[in-house]
Amino acid sequence: MSFKDKINLQQLPKHIAIIMDGNGRWAKQKGKLRTFGHQNGVAAVRDTVEAAAELGINFITLYAFSTENWNRPAFEVNALMELLVSTIHKETKTLMDNDIKLLSIGDIESLPKSCKKQLAETIEKTSGNKRMALVLALSYSSRWEIVNAVKQIAQKVQEGKLKSTDVDDKLIEQHLTTSQITDPELLIRTSGEYRISNFLLWQIAYSELYFTDKLWPDFRREDLYQAIVDFQKRERRFGGVTSVKPQKQHA
Ligand code: IPE
Ligand code: IPE
Ligand code: MG
């Protein structure tokens, strides 16, 4: 029996975020270069995104490249950037066929020209699609995003466009790169690491966290279903208390 049959379609998370980790270890296990792992991660992306769209998820955010990933050897960084361009190019038709819109978050300006161009092209082409948004986090880190938001707000205060007393949760959210995207209810990380690695720190304040030992290139739709089933068993309290039905009073 598939985990899909256990999913309550009335209680789906609207937004699922995924830290796609373990490509390098997957390749190493096979005696191959780390880049082989990245190449094989594309099949996992395809299957997961398709399954999420079919279920009726509104947003899926994939952590594809972090600010800190720039510190990797140039060979790996270049291979990742090339893979990004070729994959987005190849998958544009699938995004159109499946009515999926592409969005990006992160320091897009820091990406190579060819990446920026391909990204802008596909974002523009898919901008009218309605079924789901696929959000790629590229050259993204949460601290970068928060620093950036604080700078913008400080500038507006300096220019007299805002007062410091205007600063609240909502205003900060409006200055994050995720301003158009609801917070993820569910965050998945693959590869057996139990950390967040600078991903969506503000946005995951009340997200449910799900960790799996699967390495990203092995992740498939069944793993996504399993994570959603696990999510649906949890009680989200948001700092409140469990609502307990009043007990019948016995005489
Ligand atoms: C995740 O896999 C992909 C990126 C960070 C780009 P890794 O490349 O981090 O693989 P591991 O964690 O070293 O196995
Ligand atoms: C997080 O994975 C970044 C992405 C998945 C893009 P990393 O492999 O870079 O994170 P650490 O080094 O294990 O924390
Ligand atoms: Mg890793």
Side-chain angles (χ1 to χ4, degrees):
M1 187 174 151
S2 166
F3 279 101
K4 192 179 183 187
D5 304 324
K6 295 187 179 167
I7 295 176
N8 176 352
L9 293 173
Q10 311 310 317
Q11 276 175 14
L12 285 173
K14 288 188 179 63
H15 180 182
I16 299 176
I18 307 182
I19 302 175
M20 311 183 288
D21 196 23
N23 296 353
R25 278 163 283 169
W26 185 89
K28 198 175 172 198
Q29 282 175 2
K30 297 185 157 41
K32 306 266 189 187
L33 291 176
R34 296 176 54 81
T35 46
F36 183 71
H38 300 317
Q39 286 157 6
N40 280 275
V42 176
V45 170
R46 207 178 285 129
D47 202 46
T48 306
V49 169
E50 204 179 280
E54 279 170 13
L55 277 177
I57 305 292
N58 300 120
F59 296 98
I60 184 159
T61 299
L62 302 179
Y63 202 7
F65 194 85
S66 75
T67 307
E68 289 76 24
N69 289 150
W70 289 113
N71 298 323
R72 293 189 179 194
F75 170 77
E76 184 175 345
V77 171
N78 293 339
L80 274 166
M81 292 300 149
E82 278 168 27
L83 184 65
L84 197 65
V85 178
S86 64
T87 306
I88 297 174
H89 181 70
K90 269 193 236 148
E91 299 300 322
T92 303
K93 188 179 175 307
T94 316
L95 293 175
M96 293 307 292
D97 292 346
N98 287 286
D99 199 16
I100 300 170
K101 181 203 308 227
L102 183 70
L103 298 173
S104 68
I105 56 171
D107 186 11
I108 302 306
E109 274 312 304
S110 68
L111 297 173
K113 234 184 183 166
S114 58
C115 265
K116 276 190 281 190
K117 190 164 169 276
Q118 184 59 59
L119 199 58
E121 222 175 277
T122 303
I123 287 175
E124 164 63 25
K125 189 150 189 220
T126 60
S127 61
N129 293 349
K130 294 276 185 296
R131 184 148 77 138
M132 186 179 78
L134 163 62
V135 187
L136 289 184
L138 295 169
S139 191
Y140 176 89
S141 79
S142 208
R143 287 188 177 181
W144 166 84
E145 178 181 45
I146 292 169
V147 167
N148 207 35
V150 171
K151 272 189 198 161
Q152 288 177 51
I153 293 170
Q155 178 78 26
K156 288 183 188 171
V157 171
Q158 202 174 29
E159 289 168 1
K161 291 179 183 157
L162 277 178
K163 296 192 292 290
S164 59
T165 49
D166 292 333
V167 180
D168 59 7
D169 281 27
K170 212 163 157 222
L171 187 90
I172 293 174
E173 269 163 19
Q174 284 164 0
H175 289 82
L176 298 175
T177 55
T178 51
S179 60
Q180 305 302 316
I181 305 166
T182 56
D183 289 344
E185 293 91 338
L186 171 61
L187 172 72
I188 299 172
R189 182 173 187 144
T190 59
S191 91
E193 306 292 359
Y194 298 92
R195 56 177 171 261
I196 303 300
S197 302
N198 219 345
F199 191 43
L200 302 177
L201 298 179
W202 174 281
Q203 297 86 342
I204 60 167
Y206 272 102
S207 302
E208 297 296 328
L209 310 183
Y210 180 88
F211 298 97
T212 166
D213 286 342
K214 275 264 169 95
L215 301 175
W216 179 251
D218 287 331
F219 195 89
R220 287 295 178 275
R221 60 182 60 216
E222 198 56 27
D223 301 295
L224 179 76
Y225 299 149
Q226 188 172 6
I228 296 173
V229 169
D230 192 275
F231 164 82
Q232 291 186 332
K233 284 188 196 143
R234 304 187 192 182
E235 185 194 22
R236 306 185 73 205
R237 286 189 290 277
F238 302 98
V241 289
T242 311
S243 57
V244 183
K245 281 194 193 131
Q247 297 272 311
K248 252 190 190 162
Q249 295 294 315
H250 291 281

